[in-house]
Amino acid sequence: MSQQQRMPWIVGVSGASGTPFAAAVLRGLLAAGESVDLVVSRASRLTLLDETGIAYRDAHWREDLAAWLARGADGKPETFDVDLSGVRHWAAGDLAAGPSSGSYPAKGMLIVPASTACVAGVALGLSKDLLQRAASVTLKERRKLVVAVRETPLSGQTLKQLVALDEAGAVVLPASPGFYAGATHIQDLVDFVAGRVLDAAGVPHGLYRRWEGELGGGSPG
């Protein structure tokens, strides 16, 4: 009997602030038993270093990713225990990588967080790196693309590019936390956004309390 074909979610991390959002999405995918192909852009590595102190290196990606995903949104290390066996790493400059081709099997792609530069590159089809190329492939193959844009305020040009992505079939999902779920810690707010990303992808999770039509249901007291 042939082994079942691996069907990963491609996760692209761009240079916008919000690396805890990406970490929460990755943990959610892995907890749901999903395979992940990870592309961490060069710009996002600077953001990750600034926000967490972790230097993400291609040659040591597994240990660097483990340290990142174990870290809570409050900066506390070793908050989470994550199994990385379902993750495959691709260098951002590797345009010959699997996700650069439409024949490479994938369920879709999640860009978390998505910077305005990333939004522009994907909307214009620039494919300047593997992240943008994989997103272009996802659109042309009519696969699910979720773009968790993280910027404020938004310029008119960026708004036009987001509309273009929506018209191309992408889900434009601002990294905007809701407060009705009874958040008491920063991790709760991060998990709400991550949960909405996973909702858009159709991946089950338990990252936040869902609205059930009861006012005050999220009150901690």
Side-chain angles (χ1 to χ4, degrees), residues 41-91:
S41 77
R42 291 173 180 172
S44 71
R45 298 175 194 220
L46 297 176
T47 307
L48 182 63
L49 181 62
D50 184 54
E51 293 184 346
T52 69
I54 296 171
Y56 190 92
R57 303 157 294 174
D58 289 328
H60 303 280
W61 70 268
R62 189 173 291 277
E63 61 190 83
D64 296 338
L65 180 62
W68 177 23
L69 298 192
R71 188 184 183 92
D74 60 358
K76 183 179 179 181
E78 300 181 4
T79 299
F80 299 98
D81 184 18
V82 183
D83 180 5
L84 300 182
S85 60
V87 181
R88 184 172 185 178
H89 161 82
W90 297 98

Side-chain angles (χ1 to χ4, degrees), residues 1 5 7 9 28 51 54 59 63-64 83 91 93 114 119 125 180:
M1 180 181 295
Q5 186 178 48
M7 287 287 288
W9 283 98
E51 293 184 346
I54 296 171
E63 61 190 83
D64 296 338
D83 180 5
V119 166
Y180 60 80

